[in-house]
Amino acid sequence: IIFLADVVAIIYFFFREICIFLTFNRKKKLRILVYHSLASERDVQERNVSVDLFKQQMAFLRGTKKKIVSLREGIDALEKGNLLQDSIVITFDDGLVGAYHEAVRVLEHFHIPATFFIIYQYVDSKREFQEPNVFTREQFMNWDMVFSLKEKGFEIGSHSYSHQRLNNLTNAGLDKE
């Protein structure tokens, strides 16, 4: 029951925020929706959503009059001062396999651009991302997956070299990241 209540709360929050965004914000803005990974219903936790919920969210966004742009397009428009309408960017952090296998299929179906931020040191590693109370154990993408994303037209960005907590690093460590 608690789990279902959490899922309902997450769904309510997302759709409430989108409705507020669509209804009350008249100033042109670039909104960035940050995802980490997609999971089956039984594996949904704080930083990932179910595949079905992601499909619903992308269908909802595609049905709005908001422009869905790549991160590069959004930044360029902001820098040039010519953001023609409210725009939305979709990003995925960490370079997790679940994002590759599940999100790409949905994004391609709805013709939605996205940026995938990878952790350089973890690409092609057998390391699993495991953070208490946040993710289920999940592996990182390999280079073939990263290159495949690029070939499919998705943007690739760096989510640091090794995913260190930046506030704990020296200047040399920050430069490396």
Side-chain angles (χ1 to χ4, degrees):
I1 293 175
I2 292 172
F3 173 76
L4 290 175
D6 288 344
V7 170
V8 169
I10 291 168
I11 293 169
Y12 171 76
F13 176 78
F14 177 80
F15 283 107
R16 186 192 72 173
E17 291 300 311
I18 291 294
C19 289
I20 290 170
F21 167 62
L22 296 175
T23 307
F24 297 110
N25 281 330
R26 298 297 177 219
K27 186 176 179 185
K28 295 174 192 166
K29 296 182 181 179
L30 180 66
R31 305 282 184 172
I32 301 175
L33 300 180
V34 180
Y35 293 89
H36 285 85
S37 192
L38 304 183
S40 65
E41 288 291 337
R42 64 175 169 39
D43 290 331
V44 171
Q45 295 186 16
E46 182 181 339
R47 290 192 192 171
N48 58 18
V49 297
S50 73
V51 175
D52 289 337
L53 181 57
F54 183 69
K55 285 179 194 173
Q56 291 171 18
Q57 291 170 358
M58 295 304 105
F60 177 81
L61 292 175
R62 181 49 73 202
T64 68
K65 293 182 181 175
K66 305 301 176 196
K67 186 172 183 178
I68 304 172
V69 298
S70 71
L71 183 60
R72 173 58 31 218
E73 288 177 284
I75 290 170
D76 286 348
L78 285 174
E79 287 176 345
K80 293 174 183 171
N82 64 358
L83 192 63
L84 300 177
Q85 65 188 76
D86 287 341
S87 300
I88 298 170
V89 172
I90 307 295
T91 68
F92 280 86
D93 281 359
D94 300 324
L96 298 169
V97 170
Y100 177 81
H101 287 301
E102 302 296 342
V104 169
R105 193 169 32 88
V106 175
L107 294 166
E108 287 181 322
H109 174 78
F110 289 105
H111 306 286
I112 294 176
T115 301
F116 290 80
F117 289 101
I118 62 165
I119 303 167
Y120 181 83
Q121 186 179 28
Y122 296 166
V123 176
D124 252 345
S125 74
K126 297 301 178 194
R127 181 179 177 148
E128 293 180 332
F129 196 95
Q130 186 176 7
E131 195 170 307
N133 302 319
V134 176
F135 289 105
T136 56
R137 295 171 67 107
E138 188 170 351
Q139 290 186 338
F140 293 91
M141 291 182 207
N142 61 41
W143 284 114
D144 288 339
M145 292 173 179
V146 173
F147 292 130
S148 171
L149 288 172
K150 186 70 176 162
E151 288 172 5
K152 293 173 184 281
F154 295 105
E155 293 178 337
I156 306 299
S158 174
H159 191 50
S160 77
Y161 177 76
S162 64
H163 209 261
Q164 299 293 313
R165 296 209 181 274
L166 300 180
N167 60 336
N168 295 334
L169 297 179
T170 64
N171 286 341
L174 288 171
D175 288 343
K176 181 179 178 180
E177 290 301 313

